[in-house]
Short mmCIF file of all heavy atoms in Angstrom, two decimals:
data_model
loop_
_atom_site.label_atom_id
_atom_site.label_comp_id
_atom_site.label_asym_id
_atom_site.label_seq_id
_atom_site.Cartn_x
_atom_site.Cartn_y
_atom_site.Cartn_z
N ILE A 1 -20.44 -9.13 -3.25
CA ILE A 1 -19.64 -7.90 -3.19
C ILE A 1 -18.32 -8.07 -3.91
O ILE A 1 -17.86 -7.16 -4.62
CB ILE A 1 -19.40 -7.49 -1.72
CG1 ILE A 1 -20.70 -7.04 -1.06
CG2 ILE A 1 -18.35 -6.37 -1.63
CD1 ILE A 1 -20.57 -6.79 0.43
N ASN A 2 -17.71 -9.25 -3.76
CA ASN A 2 -16.36 -9.47 -4.27
C ASN A 2 -16.31 -10.19 -5.61
O ASN A 2 -15.26 -10.71 -6.00
CB ASN A 2 -15.56 -10.25 -3.21
CG ASN A 2 -15.38 -9.46 -1.93
OD1 ASN A 2 -14.82 -8.36 -1.94
ND2 ASN A 2 -15.88 -9.99 -0.82
N GLU A 3 -17.42 -10.22 -6.32
CA GLU A 3 -17.41 -10.74 -7.69
C GLU A 3 -16.43 -9.96 -8.54
O GLU A 3 -16.17 -8.78 -8.31
CB GLU A 3 -18.81 -10.64 -8.31
CG GLU A 3 -19.80 -11.66 -7.80
CD GLU A 3 -21.17 -11.49 -8.46
OE1 GLU A 3 -21.35 -10.48 -9.16
OE2 GLU A 3 -22.02 -12.34 -8.26
N GLN A 4 -15.91 -10.60 -9.56
CA GLN A 4 -15.01 -9.93 -10.50
C GLN A 4 -15.53 -10.07 -11.93
O GLN A 4 -15.63 -11.18 -12.43
CB GLN A 4 -13.60 -10.49 -10.39
CG GLN A 4 -12.91 -10.16 -9.08
CD GLN A 4 -12.77 -8.66 -8.87
OE1 GLN A 4 -12.48 -7.92 -9.81
NE2 GLN A 4 -12.97 -8.21 -7.64
N PRO A 5 -15.86 -8.97 -12.59
CA PRO A 5 -15.87 -7.62 -12.03
C PRO A 5 -17.05 -7.43 -11.08
O PRO A 5 -18.08 -8.09 -11.24
CB PRO A 5 -16.02 -6.73 -13.27
CG PRO A 5 -16.79 -7.57 -14.23
CD PRO A 5 -16.30 -8.98 -14.01
N PRO A 6 -16.93 -6.54 -10.11
CA PRO A 6 -18.01 -6.35 -9.15
C PRO A 6 -19.22 -5.66 -9.78
O PRO A 6 -19.07 -4.88 -10.72
CB PRO A 6 -17.37 -5.47 -8.07
CG PRO A 6 -16.30 -4.72 -8.81
CD PRO A 6 -15.78 -5.68 -9.84
N VAL A 7 -20.39 -5.97 -9.24
CA VAL A 7 -21.60 -5.28 -9.69
C VAL A 7 -21.52 -3.81 -9.30
O VAL A 7 -21.95 -2.93 -10.04
CB VAL A 7 -22.85 -5.95 -9.07
CG1 VAL A 7 -24.11 -5.19 -9.44
CG2 VAL A 7 -22.95 -7.40 -9.51
N ARG A 8 -20.99 -3.55 -8.12
CA ARG A 8 -20.75 -2.18 -7.64
C ARG A 8 -19.33 -2.10 -7.10
O ARG A 8 -18.88 -3.00 -6.40
CB ARG A 8 -21.72 -1.80 -6.53
CG ARG A 8 -23.20 -1.78 -6.93
CD ARG A 8 -23.54 -0.53 -7.73
NE ARG A 8 -24.97 -0.43 -7.95
CZ ARG A 8 -25.63 -1.00 -8.95
NH1 ARG A 8 -24.95 -1.74 -9.82
NH2 ARG A 8 -26.93 -0.86 -9.09
N HIS A 9 -18.64 -1.01 -7.40
CA HIS A 9 -17.31 -0.77 -6.83
C HIS A 9 -17.52 -0.20 -5.43
O HIS A 9 -18.01 0.92 -5.28
CB HIS A 9 -16.51 0.20 -7.69
CG HIS A 9 -16.23 -0.33 -9.06
ND1 HIS A 9 -15.12 -1.09 -9.34
CD2 HIS A 9 -16.92 -0.21 -10.23
CE1 HIS A 9 -15.12 -1.42 -10.63
NE2 HIS A 9 -16.20 -0.90 -11.19
N LEU A 10 -17.17 -0.97 -4.40
CA LEU A 10 -17.42 -0.57 -3.02
C LEU A 10 -16.14 -0.08 -2.36
O LEU A 10 -15.09 -0.70 -2.49
CB LEU A 10 -17.98 -1.77 -2.23
CG LEU A 10 -18.29 -1.53 -0.75
CD1 LEU A 10 -19.38 -0.47 -0.59
CD2 LEU A 10 -18.70 -2.84 -0.08
N ARG A 11 -16.25 1.05 -1.66
CA ARG A 11 -15.14 1.60 -0.89
C ARG A 11 -15.61 1.81 0.55
O ARG A 11 -16.66 2.41 0.79
CB ARG A 11 -14.68 2.95 -1.47
CG ARG A 11 -14.28 2.89 -2.93
CD ARG A 11 -12.98 2.11 -3.14
NE ARG A 11 -12.57 2.07 -4.54
CZ ARG A 11 -12.85 1.07 -5.37
NH1 ARG A 11 -13.56 0.02 -4.95
NH2 ARG A 11 -12.43 1.10 -6.62
N ILE A 12 -14.83 1.30 1.51
CA ILE A 12 -15.17 1.40 2.93
C ILE A 12 -14.00 2.06 3.65
O ILE A 12 -12.85 1.65 3.48
CB ILE A 12 -15.47 0.01 3.53
CG1 ILE A 12 -16.78 -0.53 2.96
CG2 ILE A 12 -15.53 0.08 5.06
CD1 ILE A 12 -17.10 -1.94 3.42
N THR A 13 -14.29 3.06 4.47
CA THR A 13 -13.23 3.78 5.17
C THR A 13 -13.17 3.36 6.64
O THR A 13 -14.19 3.16 7.29
CB THR A 13 -13.43 5.30 5.09
OG1 THR A 13 -14.63 5.66 5.77
CG2 THR A 13 -13.50 5.75 3.65
N VAL A 14 -11.95 3.25 7.14
CA VAL A 14 -11.69 2.94 8.54
C VAL A 14 -10.48 3.77 9.00
O VAL A 14 -9.79 4.37 8.18
CB VAL A 14 -11.39 1.43 8.75
CG1 VAL A 14 -12.59 0.58 8.36
CG2 VAL A 14 -10.17 1.01 7.95
N VAL A 15 -10.24 3.76 10.30
CA VAL A 15 -9.11 4.50 10.87
C VAL A 15 -8.30 3.57 11.75
O VAL A 15 -8.86 2.88 12.62
CB VAL A 15 -9.60 5.71 11.70
CG1 VAL A 15 -8.44 6.36 12.45
CG2 VAL A 15 -10.27 6.73 10.80
N GLU A 16 -7.00 3.53 11.54
CA GLU A 16 -6.13 2.74 12.40
C GLU A 16 -6.15 3.34 13.81
O GLU A 16 -5.88 4.52 14.00
CB GLU A 16 -4.69 2.74 11.88
CG GLU A 16 -4.48 1.88 10.66
CD GLU A 16 -3.01 1.81 10.27
OE1 GLU A 16 -2.17 2.42 10.97
OE2 GLU A 16 -2.71 1.14 9.26
N MET A 17 -6.47 2.51 14.79
CA MET A 17 -6.61 3.00 16.15
C MET A 17 -5.30 3.55 16.71
O MET A 17 -5.28 4.58 17.39
CB MET A 17 -7.13 1.88 17.05
CG MET A 17 -7.49 2.31 18.44
SD MET A 17 -8.06 0.93 19.42
CE MET A 17 -6.54 -0.01 19.56
N GLU A 18 -4.20 2.88 16.43
CA GLU A 18 -2.92 3.28 17.02
C GLU A 18 -2.31 4.52 16.38
O GLU A 18 -1.60 5.28 17.04
CB GLU A 18 -1.93 2.12 16.91
CG GLU A 18 -2.34 0.87 17.68
CD GLU A 18 -2.27 1.04 19.20
OE1 GLU A 18 -1.67 2.04 19.65
OE2 GLU A 18 -2.82 0.20 19.91
N THR A 19 -2.57 4.73 15.10
CA THR A 19 -1.91 5.82 14.37
C THR A 19 -2.85 6.94 13.94
O THR A 19 -2.39 8.04 13.63
CB THR A 19 -1.21 5.28 13.11
OG1 THR A 19 -2.22 4.80 12.19
CG2 THR A 19 -0.26 4.15 13.45
N GLY A 20 -4.16 6.66 13.89
CA GLY A 20 -5.10 7.66 13.40
C GLY A 20 -5.10 7.79 11.88
O GLY A 20 -5.71 8.71 11.33
N ARG A 21 -4.45 6.86 11.20
CA ARG A 21 -4.35 6.93 9.74
C ARG A 21 -5.62 6.42 9.08
O ARG A 21 -6.12 5.34 9.40
CB ARG A 21 -3.15 6.10 9.24
CG ARG A 21 -2.94 6.16 7.72
CD ARG A 21 -1.58 5.62 7.36
NE ARG A 21 -1.45 4.19 7.56
CZ ARG A 21 -1.59 3.27 6.59
NH1 ARG A 21 -1.85 3.66 5.35
NH2 ARG A 21 -1.45 2.00 6.84
N LEU A 22 -6.16 7.22 8.15
CA LEU A 22 -7.34 6.80 7.39
C LEU A 22 -6.94 5.78 6.35
O LEU A 22 -5.97 5.97 5.61
CB LEU A 22 -7.98 8.00 6.70
CG LEU A 22 -9.23 7.70 5.87
CD1 LEU A 22 -10.40 7.32 6.77
CD2 LEU A 22 -9.60 8.90 5.00
N ARG A 23 -7.70 4.68 6.27
CA ARG A 23 -7.45 3.68 5.24
C ARG A 23 -8.75 3.41 4.49
O ARG A 23 -9.84 3.47 5.07
CB ARG A 23 -6.90 2.39 5.85
CG ARG A 23 -5.49 2.59 6.40
CD ARG A 23 -4.93 1.38 7.08
NE ARG A 23 -4.76 0.25 6.17
CZ ARG A 23 -4.25 -0.93 6.56
NH1 ARG A 23 -3.88 -1.12 7.82
NH2 ARG A 23 -4.11 -1.91 5.69
N VAL A 24 -8.62 3.16 3.22
CA VAL A 24 -9.77 2.90 2.35
C VAL A 24 -9.63 1.50 1.75
O VAL A 24 -8.64 1.22 1.06
CB VAL A 24 -9.86 3.94 1.21
CG1 VAL A 24 -11.08 3.67 0.34
CG2 VAL A 24 -9.90 5.35 1.78
N PHE A 25 -10.60 0.64 2.03
CA PHE A 25 -10.60 -0.71 1.48
C PHE A 25 -11.62 -0.77 0.35
O PHE A 25 -12.73 -0.25 0.47
CB PHE A 25 -10.97 -1.73 2.55
CG PHE A 25 -9.94 -1.86 3.65
CD1 PHE A 25 -10.26 -1.54 4.96
CD2 PHE A 25 -8.65 -2.29 3.38
CE1 PHE A 25 -9.33 -1.66 5.98
CE2 PHE A 25 -7.70 -2.41 4.38
CZ PHE A 25 -8.03 -2.09 5.69
N GLY A 26 -11.23 -1.43 -0.76
CA GLY A 26 -12.13 -1.52 -1.91
C GLY A 26 -12.16 -2.91 -2.49
O GLY A 26 -11.17 -3.65 -2.42
N ASN A 27 -13.29 -3.27 -3.09
CA ASN A 27 -13.42 -4.58 -3.73
C ASN A 27 -12.88 -4.58 -5.16
O ASN A 27 -12.98 -5.58 -5.86
CB ASN A 27 -14.87 -5.04 -3.72
CG ASN A 27 -15.79 -4.13 -4.53
OD1 ASN A 27 -15.41 -3.01 -4.90
ND2 ASN A 27 -17.01 -4.58 -4.80
N SER A 28 -12.27 -3.46 -5.56
CA SER A 28 -11.63 -3.35 -6.88
C SER A 28 -10.55 -2.28 -6.77
O SER A 28 -10.62 -1.42 -5.89
CB SER A 28 -12.65 -2.97 -7.96
OG SER A 28 -13.23 -1.70 -7.67
N PRO A 29 -9.56 -2.32 -7.64
CA PRO A 29 -8.49 -1.31 -7.57
C PRO A 29 -8.91 -0.01 -8.24
O PRO A 29 -9.80 0.02 -9.09
CB PRO A 29 -7.34 -1.97 -8.33
CG PRO A 29 -8.03 -2.88 -9.32
CD PRO A 29 -9.27 -3.37 -8.65
N ASP A 30 -8.27 1.08 -7.83
CA ASP A 30 -8.44 2.37 -8.47
C ASP A 30 -7.36 2.54 -9.54
O ASP A 30 -6.25 2.06 -9.39
CB ASP A 30 -8.32 3.52 -7.46
CG ASP A 30 -9.57 3.69 -6.63
OD1 ASP A 30 -10.62 3.17 -7.03
OD2 ASP A 30 -9.48 4.34 -5.57
N SER A 31 -7.71 3.25 -10.60
CA SER A 31 -6.73 3.55 -11.65
C SER A 31 -6.10 4.92 -11.47
O SER A 31 -5.10 5.24 -12.12
CB SER A 31 -7.40 3.48 -13.03
OG SER A 31 -8.49 4.38 -13.10
N SER A 32 -6.66 5.74 -10.57
CA SER A 32 -6.15 7.10 -10.39
C SER A 32 -4.78 7.08 -9.73
O SER A 32 -4.56 6.35 -8.76
CB SER A 32 -7.11 7.91 -9.52
OG SER A 32 -8.39 7.98 -10.10
N PRO A 33 -3.83 7.89 -10.23
CA PRO A 33 -2.52 7.97 -9.60
C PRO A 33 -2.63 8.55 -8.19
O PRO A 33 -3.36 9.50 -7.97
CB PRO A 33 -1.73 8.90 -10.53
CG PRO A 33 -2.77 9.71 -11.24
CD PRO A 33 -3.95 8.80 -11.40
N GLY A 34 -1.93 7.94 -7.25
CA GLY A 34 -1.95 8.45 -5.89
C GLY A 34 -3.13 8.00 -5.06
O GLY A 34 -3.28 8.44 -3.92
N SER A 35 -4.00 7.13 -5.60
CA SER A 35 -5.15 6.66 -4.84
C SER A 35 -4.69 5.88 -3.61
O SER A 35 -3.73 5.13 -3.66
CB SER A 35 -6.02 5.76 -5.72
OG SER A 35 -7.01 5.11 -4.93
N ARG A 36 -5.43 6.06 -2.51
CA ARG A 36 -5.09 5.35 -1.28
C ARG A 36 -5.90 4.06 -1.11
O ARG A 36 -5.76 3.37 -0.10
CB ARG A 36 -5.30 6.24 -0.07
CG ARG A 36 -6.76 6.59 0.22
CD ARG A 36 -6.91 7.37 1.50
NE ARG A 36 -6.30 8.67 1.42
CZ ARG A 36 -6.18 9.50 2.46
NH1 ARG A 36 -6.61 9.14 3.64
NH2 ARG A 36 -5.62 10.68 2.30
N CYS A 37 -6.74 3.73 -2.08
CA CYS A 37 -7.59 2.54 -1.97
C CYS A 37 -6.75 1.26 -1.97
O CYS A 37 -5.88 1.07 -2.82
CB CYS A 37 -8.61 2.51 -3.10
SG CYS A 37 -9.68 1.06 -3.08
N GLU A 38 -7.04 0.36 -1.02
CA GLU A 38 -6.39 -0.94 -0.93
C GLU A 38 -7.36 -2.00 -1.43
O GLU A 38 -8.44 -2.19 -0.86
CB GLU A 38 -5.99 -1.23 0.51
CG GLU A 38 -5.07 -0.19 1.12
CD GLU A 38 -4.81 -0.44 2.60
OE1 GLU A 38 -4.63 -1.62 2.98
OE2 GLU A 38 -4.82 0.55 3.37
N HIS A 39 -6.99 -2.70 -2.51
CA HIS A 39 -7.85 -3.71 -3.09
C HIS A 39 -7.81 -4.97 -2.22
O HIS A 39 -6.76 -5.62 -2.11
CB HIS A 39 -7.41 -4.02 -4.52
CG HIS A 39 -8.27 -5.03 -5.21
ND1 HIS A 39 -7.85 -5.72 -6.34
CD2 HIS A 39 -9.52 -5.48 -4.93
CE1 HIS A 39 -8.81 -6.53 -6.72
NE2 HIS A 39 -9.83 -6.40 -5.88
N VAL A 40 -8.94 -5.31 -1.60
CA VAL A 40 -9.04 -6.49 -0.74
C VAL A 40 -10.40 -7.15 -0.97
O VAL A 40 -11.29 -6.58 -1.61
CB VAL A 40 -8.91 -6.12 0.75
CG1 VAL A 40 -7.58 -5.46 1.05
CG2 VAL A 40 -10.07 -5.22 1.20
N ALA A 41 -10.54 -8.35 -0.44
CA ALA A 41 -11.85 -8.99 -0.40
C ALA A 41 -12.59 -8.42 0.81
O ALA A 41 -12.17 -8.61 1.95
CB ALA A 41 -11.71 -10.50 -0.29
N ILE A 42 -13.68 -7.70 0.56
CA ILE A 42 -14.43 -7.07 1.64
C ILE A 42 -15.12 -8.14 2.49
O ILE A 42 -15.82 -9.02 1.97
CB ILE A 42 -15.47 -6.09 1.09
CG1 ILE A 42 -14.80 -4.97 0.29
CG2 ILE A 42 -16.31 -5.49 2.22
CD1 ILE A 42 -13.90 -4.07 1.09
N THR A 43 -14.95 -8.05 3.81
CA THR A 43 -15.56 -9.00 4.74
C THR A 43 -16.44 -8.25 5.74
O THR A 43 -16.46 -7.01 5.77
CB THR A 43 -14.49 -9.78 5.51
OG1 THR A 43 -13.79 -8.86 6.37
CG2 THR A 43 -13.49 -10.44 4.55
N LEU A 44 -17.12 -9.02 6.59
CA LEU A 44 -17.92 -8.40 7.65
C LEU A 44 -17.04 -7.58 8.58
O LEU A 44 -17.48 -6.55 9.11
CB LEU A 44 -18.65 -9.48 8.45
CG LEU A 44 -19.89 -10.10 7.82
CD1 LEU A 44 -20.40 -11.25 8.67
CD2 LEU A 44 -20.99 -9.04 7.66
N ASP A 45 -15.80 -8.01 8.78
CA ASP A 45 -14.90 -7.27 9.65
C ASP A 45 -14.64 -5.87 9.12
O ASP A 45 -14.55 -4.91 9.90
CB ASP A 45 -13.57 -8.01 9.82
CG ASP A 45 -13.70 -9.24 10.72
OD1 ASP A 45 -14.62 -9.26 11.55
OD2 ASP A 45 -12.91 -10.18 10.57
N HIS A 46 -14.49 -5.71 7.81
CA HIS A 46 -14.27 -4.38 7.24
C HIS A 46 -15.49 -3.49 7.50
O HIS A 46 -15.35 -2.30 7.82
CB HIS A 46 -14.01 -4.47 5.74
CG HIS A 46 -12.72 -5.14 5.38
ND1 HIS A 46 -12.65 -6.48 5.07
CD2 HIS A 46 -11.45 -4.67 5.32
CE1 HIS A 46 -11.39 -6.79 4.79
NE2 HIS A 46 -10.65 -5.71 4.94
N ILE A 47 -16.67 -4.07 7.36
CA ILE A 47 -17.90 -3.29 7.56
C ILE A 47 -18.03 -2.89 9.03
O ILE A 47 -18.32 -1.73 9.35
CB ILE A 47 -19.12 -4.11 7.11
CG1 ILE A 47 -19.01 -4.43 5.61
CG2 ILE A 47 -20.42 -3.35 7.39
CD1 ILE A 47 -20.00 -5.47 5.13
#
């Protein structure tokens, strides 16, 4: 999943329990201005 460049650009969504804020984790960065994607190494915990 975390190869560079990745075979597939993966985006996983989660919600912060305390704040209700939606967060998007990705195995690659977005180029779009204003994107909320956070480039991280995707783990089982994210899934």
Side-chain angles (χ1 to χ4, degrees):
I1 291 173
N2 296 301
E3 286 180 351
Q4 291 300 321
V7 176
R8 297 283 188 274
H9 296 272
L10 179 63
R11 304 290 181 265
I12 291 176
T13 64
V14 297
V15 172
E16 286 186 1
M17 188 181 68
E18 298 290 347
T19 66
R21 182 166 70 97
L22 180 69
R23 292 177 64 179
V24 181
F25 294 117
N27 63 347
S28 62
D30 282 343
S31 57
S32 301
S35 170
R36 67 175 66 187
C37 178
E38 303 174 40
H39 182 198
V40 300
I42 299 295
T43 67
L44 283 174
D45 286 335
H46 293 96
I47 299 168

